[in-house]
């Protein structure tokens, strides 16, 4: 049986512990990529991944490895992202694997996402191969980390491989461990085709490229297939593997990982999580798919130049092809005009989508302050969901509101317990319990409102603990809360795109802070600008931005037309990203400043 020579595995770790670097070493060691073509974190193929040094999309690659037993194995490796926003990517890749290489930094030890990812891998019954990485670091303490792996993760670490992905130490042992310990796939090659779509991307020529894990049967070019969930039928135009670029091959058999193309033009016809089977005589048993990842953070994206509205729609559609968790629908704002309400898995996800829209599609965008989804009980007895503060009905029609909660865990050295508890209290956190995962380290569990996490929580946590804290969270249902909408008026007019929903007790402080921030951010203009924060008709804070002095105006905006044009050009380029609201120019930063309120 060919399957006995296949190993499907992913690499999981907390962010920055060295997954992508280890993947580089595996590619190199197996000769999948020649040394002269090697570049660091090769599987992070997007520019934005390379610049930020993080993995956003999982990447798949097939390696051919001649093991010490003399047999050549087919290894299918999936590199996964580590950040909490992208847990969905991790859970999808796990379903295509039988094993996981768990990378733990020899100096940092077990962190929040180490735990989260190990829990995911264990619940998918994956064999876990622990690797203690970065043993070259002076601060490395592999013995202590091995202890932590045993105590915190309950994984036998006696066979943990001590490695340095940077120096190439331990690479062969890792490959040998994968071959020895990860079980081969055990599908039925003689049964009708069943393959799981675990990811996809859109190619202008090929249509949807579906990344599949074949579980039973086989698939070749010309096979007529059916998507089980949608019932749609297609003719396969090609199958192949990532090596690491797309390489077409004759067929994919049970146990193998690769891609399929079938001139599918709409991603909705070939959803991630769906099962591919034969159009005739196929299986009716879908494979266990995935829970659809639902966006939890929403914001409005508006083109600065309204002529880009249609382009924005197309660009969002394109990105959605690669990113099932992204949602969008048209919305309009009195202040900003026409745009889209977009849904994301978290703030990093939002940030990355905005940057990709601007960079890959040349759009210049204004993003409004992110919001979570509130459940609003109306006096009429109806309950509605509101993800845009501007759409909140007037207070007189609201009987009560529920807000989404998260179960958060923070791992820190014990000396920071007080600091973290202070922060959690400021953010309306409810203490749950403390665990003691390892010597000198503490894991504190809190229940927190999600909207408090959006506001700068992670940055605060990092800075107040000098970078030592790691943080993870899960959705934890809804709870009733005393919430109000805070409006910002500019020269007397409410700016819908600046409204936000906050707890009543925080409203005064945050309203005051926000007008002060806006005063600092909005440039002085030719007239005085009056800024107010208000709850309903009641103004709770105000500030004035005084007008520019005449001679300064003359200098900047005088008769020099070419200079003025240059200025406009610059604005268009997004260097000075401003949106006129009424007659006031508001920079992009203003819309995000609500996130920086303590
Ligand atoms: P990922 O987020 O888990 O994919 O981590 P990366 O592979 O992007 O690595 C994060 C950082 O750690 C990069 O700067 C790497 O160069 C560095 N790094 C990875 N492995 C090692 C190692 O074995 N030793 C040292 N000293 N640094 C490493
Ligand atoms: Mg990475």
């Amino acid at each position: 049986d060919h399957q006995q020579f296949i190993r499907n595995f992913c690499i999981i770790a907390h962010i920055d512990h060295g997954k992508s670097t280890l993947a580089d070493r595996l590619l190199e060691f197996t000769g999948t990529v020649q040394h002269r073509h090697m570049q660091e974190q090769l599987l992070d193929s997007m520019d934005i991944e390379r610049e930020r040094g993080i993995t956003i999309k999982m990447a798949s690659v097939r390696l051919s490895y001649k093991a010490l037993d003399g047999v050549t194995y087919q290894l299918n490796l999936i590199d996964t992202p580590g950040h909490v926003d992208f847990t969905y990517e991790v859970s999808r890749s796990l379903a295509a694997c039988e094993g996981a290489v768990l990378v733990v930094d020899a100096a940092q030890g077990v962190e929040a996402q180490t735990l989260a990812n190990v829990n995911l891998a264990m619940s998918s019954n994956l064999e876990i191969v622990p690797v203690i990485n970065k043993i070259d670091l002076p601060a490395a303490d592999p013995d202590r980390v091995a202890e932590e792996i045993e105590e915190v993760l309950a994984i036998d670490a006696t066979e943990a491989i001590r490695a340095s992905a940077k120096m190439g130490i331990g690479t062969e042992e890792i490959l040998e461990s994968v071959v020895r310990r990860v079980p081969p796939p055990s599908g039925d090659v003689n049964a009708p085709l069943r393959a799981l779509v675990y990811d996809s991307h859109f190619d202008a020529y090929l249509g949807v490229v579906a990344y599949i894990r074949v579980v039973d049967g086989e698939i070749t070019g010309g096979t007529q297939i059916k998507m089980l969930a949608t019932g749609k039928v297609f003719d396969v135009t090609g199958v192949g593997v990532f090596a690491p670029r797309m390489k077409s091959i004759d067929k994919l058999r049970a146990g193998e990982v690769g891609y399929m193309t079938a001139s599918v033009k709409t991603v909705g016809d070939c959803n991630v999580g769906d099962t591919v089977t034969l159009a005739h005589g196929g299986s009716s048993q879908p494979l266990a798919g995935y829970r659809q990842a639902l966006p939890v953070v929403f914001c409005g994206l508006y083109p600065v130049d309204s002529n880009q509205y249609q382009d924005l729609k197309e660009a969002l559609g394109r990105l959605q092809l690669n990113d099932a968790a992204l949602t969008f629908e048209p919305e309009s704002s009195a202040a900003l005009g026409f745009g889209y309400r977009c849904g994301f898995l978290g703030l990093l996800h939002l940030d990355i989508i905005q940057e990709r829209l601007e960079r890959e599609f040349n759009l210049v965008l204004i993003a409004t302050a992110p919001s979570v989804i509130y459940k609003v009980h109306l006096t009429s007895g109806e309950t509605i969901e509101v993800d845009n503060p501007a759409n909140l009905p007037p207070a007189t029609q609201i009987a009560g509101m529920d807000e989404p909660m998260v179960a958060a865990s923070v791992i820190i050295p014990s000396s920071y317990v007080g600091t973290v508890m202070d922060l959690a209290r400021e953010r309306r956190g409810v203490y749950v319990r403390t665990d003691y995962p390892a010597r000198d380290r503490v894991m504190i569990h809190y229940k927190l409102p999600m909207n408090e996490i959006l506001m700068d929580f992670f940055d605060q946590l990092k800075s107040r603990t000098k970078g030592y804290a790691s943080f993870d969270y899960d959705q934890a249902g809804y709870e009733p809360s005393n919430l109000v909408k805070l409006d910002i008026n500019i020269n007397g007019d409410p700016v819908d795109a600046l409204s936000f929903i906050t707890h009543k007790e925080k409203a005064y402080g945050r309203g005051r802070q926000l007008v002060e921030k806006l005063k600092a951010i909005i440039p002085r203009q030719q007239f005085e600008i009056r800024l107010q924060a208000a709850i309903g008709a009641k103004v709770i804070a105000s500030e004035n931005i005084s007008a520019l002095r005449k001679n300064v105006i003359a200098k900047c905006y005088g008769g020099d037309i070419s200079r003025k044009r240059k200025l406009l050009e610059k604005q268009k380029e997004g260097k000075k990203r401003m949106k006129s609201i009424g007659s006031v120019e508001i920079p992009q930063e203003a819309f995000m400043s609500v996130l920086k309120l303590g």
Side-chain angles (χ1 to χ4, degrees):
D1 181 4
H2 70 281
Q3 291 187 91
Q4 102 192 61
F5 306 114
I6 300 177
R7 300 292 181 271
N8 298 315
F9 69 104
C10 52
I11 309 182
I12 55 175
H14 189 75
I15 194 159
D16 271 353
H17 282 198
K19 286 180 299 292
S20 301
T21 308
L22 175 60
D24 289 349
R25 291 296 86 73
L26 301 181
L27 291 176
E28 225 173 42
F29 194 89
T30 55
T32 311
V33 177
Q34 272 153 28
H35 193 72
R36 65 197 161 89
H37 292 139
M38 201 63 211
Q39 45 178 181
E40 279 177 33
Q41 283 108 21
L42 185 111
L43 295 182
D44 291 342
S45 53
M46 281 192 274
D47 287 349
I48 179 167
E49 290 182 309
R50 308 194 61 82
E51 274 163 33
R52 297 192 183 199
I54 56 170
T55 308
I56 296 163
K57 284 295 291 177
M58 63 171 115
S60 311
V61 60
R62 175 178 289 196
L63 318 172
S64 169
Y65 172 59
K66 185 158 190 231
L68 296 178
D69 63 9
V71 177
T72 300
Y73 291 84
Q74 175 198 125
L75 307 182
N76 296 301
L77 153 67
I78 301 178
D79 183 24
T80 62
H83 189 278
V84 59
D85 278 15
F86 304 117
T87 302
Y88 177 57
E89 291 277 319
V90 179
S91 69
R92 281 173 17 219
S93 57
L94 297 181
C97 299
E98 282 78 34
V101 169
L102 167 69
V103 176
V104 185
D105 184 310
Q108 305 272 319
V110 170
E111 300 280 9
Q113 267 83 51
T114 317
L115 250 167
N117 288 331
V118 165
N119 286 336
L120 281 175
M122 283 181 165
S123 59
S124 305
N125 289 316
L126 301 196
E127 177 69 26
I128 294 174
V129 177
V131 171
I132 301 174
N133 187 35
K134 307 199 188 182
I135 55 165
D136 60 292
L137 287 177
D141 190 349
D143 293 335
R144 177 184 63 86
V145 172
E147 241 173 72
E148 274 186 27
I149 290 175
E150 301 220 331
E151 284 172 22
V152 187
L153 306 175
I155 294 171
D156 181 3
T158 41
E159 284 188 66
I161 298 145
R162 296 171 184 222
S164 164
K166 190 171 176 179
M167 321 287 278
I169 302 168
T171 314
E172 188 174 24
E173 284 97 313
I174 293 169
L175 289 164
E176 285 295 316
S177 258
V178 165
V179 165
R180 206 161 14 96
R181 296 181 51 184
V182 175
S186 56
D188 182 353
V189 72
N190 298 312
L193 169 70
R194 285 198 306 165
L196 178 69
V197 181
Y198 68 90
D199 199 4
S200 69
H201 78 254
F202 192 81
D203 181 284
Y205 301 103
L206 301 169
V208 175
V209 178
Y211 298 26
I212 54 173
R213 159 71 196 268
V214 182
V215 174
D216 296 322
E218 61 175 47
I219 183 169
T220 69
T223 305
Q224 201 175 44
I225 52 145
K226 182 169 76 180
M227 304 305 299
L228 261 183
T230 60
K232 292 266 164 91
V233 170
F234 298 97
D235 288 316
V236 175
T237 53
V239 297
V241 296
F242 300 95
R245 303 289 162 233
M246 283 171 65
K247 179 178 141 200
S248 102
I249 60 170
D250 288 345
K251 61 178 166 188
L252 289 170
R253 293 183 292 175
E256 293 189 294
V257 175
Y259 70 83
M260 129 195 135
T261 55
S263 301
V264 183
K265 293 299 177 205
T266 8
V267 162
D269 288 342
C270 181
N271 287 315
V272 166
D274 202 349
T275 301
V276 185
T277 189
L278 298 173
H280 306 287
S283 168
S284 56
Q285 278 306 105
L287 297 161
Y290 319 91
R291 212 162 20 106
Q292 168 71 31
L294 293 176
V296 292
V297 175
F298 291 78
C299 80
L301 291 179
Y302 291 85
V304 168
D305 173 356
S306 55
N307 290 325
Q308 287 195 325
Y309 177 73
Q310 198 57 32
D311 299 343
L312 172 59
K313 179 182 179 177
E314 272 160 33
L316 282 165
R318 285 286 211 69
L319 290 186
Q320 199 178 41
L321 298 179
N322 282 327
D323 188 342
L326 169 69
T327 63
F328 62 99
E329 55 184 60
E331 79 169 3
S332 62
S333 149
L336 300 176
F338 292 100
Y340 285 91
R341 192 79 190 161
C342 303
F344 307 93
L345 298 173
L347 287 182
L348 178 63
H349 188 209
L350 185 167
D351 195 28
I352 281 163
I353 293 290
Q354 186 182 356
E355 188 172 329
R356 290 188 62 190
L357 287 169
E358 302 192 328
R359 182 194 285 226
E360 295 169 28
F361 301 91
N362 278 319
L363 299 168
V364 182
L365 301 174
I366 294 270
T368 64
S371 170
V372 298
I373 305 178
Y374 297 95
K375 291 195 171 146
V376 182
H377 307 293
L378 302 177
T379 47
S380 66
E382 203 189 336
T383 296
I384 57 169
E385 293 193 344
V386 171
D387 64 39
N388 181 352
N391 297 340
L392 194 69
T396 51
Q397 291 174 25
I398 299 177
M401 281 170 76
D402 298 342
E403 65 179 331
M405 306 295 291
V406 299
S409 56
V410 180
I411 298 183
I412 30 158
S414 16
S415 54
Y416 289 108
V417 169
T419 316
V420 171
M421 289 196 159
D422 285 345
L423 176 62
R425 199 173 317 114
E426 289 164 27
R427 300 311 178 89
R428 302 190 281 130
V430 175
Y431 172 79
V432 179
R433 66 168 200 281
T434 303
D435 294 335
Y436 299 90
R439 247 182 295 151
D440 301 330
R441 290 211 296 164
V442 175
M443 181 169 187
I444 319 183
H445 300 264
Y446 267 93
K447 195 165 194 183
L448 287 151
M450 196 154 106
N451 78 3
E452 296 285 342
I453 298 223
L454 288 191
M455 292 198 188
D456 211 23
F457 182 83
F458 190 57
D459 286 349
Q460 283 290 325
L461 183 67
K462 279 277 178 198
S463 71
R464 294 194 199 183
T465 60
K466 302 205 164 56
Y468 279 113
S470 67
F471 169 64
D472 189 52
Y473 68 85
D474 262 322
Q475 315 306 325
Y478 275 76
E479 284 184 8
S481 178
N482 193 358
L483 300 163
V484 293
K485 182 170 80 152
L486 211 123
D487 292 314
I488 298 295
N489 302 331
I490 295 186
N491 286 340
D493 296 325
V495 178
D496 57 359
L498 284 171
S499 296
F500 66 101
I501 291 171
T502 184
H503 193 265
K504 194 163 183 194
E505 274 172 24
K506 301 258 164 203
Y508 280 80
R510 284 183 175 156
R512 165 121 301 282
Q513 264 184 301
L514 185 56
V515 288
E516 279 166 15
K517 281 231 156 73
L518 291 175
K519 180 178 178 173
I521 290 171
I522 298 174
R524 294 167 71 189
Q525 292 167 35
Q526 298 170 52
F527 43 84
E528 188 179 61
I529 302 169
R530 194 155 38 92
L531 300 170
Q532 296 171 318
I535 300 172
K538 188 171 169 205
V539 173
I540 59 170
S542 67
E543 287 285 346
N544 284 340
I545 303 173
S546 56
L548 284 167
R549 288 196 316 271
K550 279 280 182 299
N551 57 348
V552 181
I553 300 166
K555 219 167 159 192
C556 286
Y557 298 97
D560 187 348
I561 294 292
S562 72
R563 184 163 172 177
K564 197 165 177 183
R565 197 171 286 142
K566 256 189 203 149
L567 204 75
L568 285 173
E569 280 304 311
K570 250 187 169 173
Q571 288 191 9
K572 230 176 168 181
E573 286 166 29
K575 290 205 174 86
K576 270 203 169 171
R577 184 167 317 195
M578 301 273 200
K579 189 84 185 175
S580 307
I581 293 181
S583 49
V584 183
E585 299 263 273
I586 314 256
Q588 157 79 64
E589 267 181 284
F591 298 93
M592 285 297 155
S593 54
V594 61
L595 293 181
K596 297 286 173 195
L597 305 177

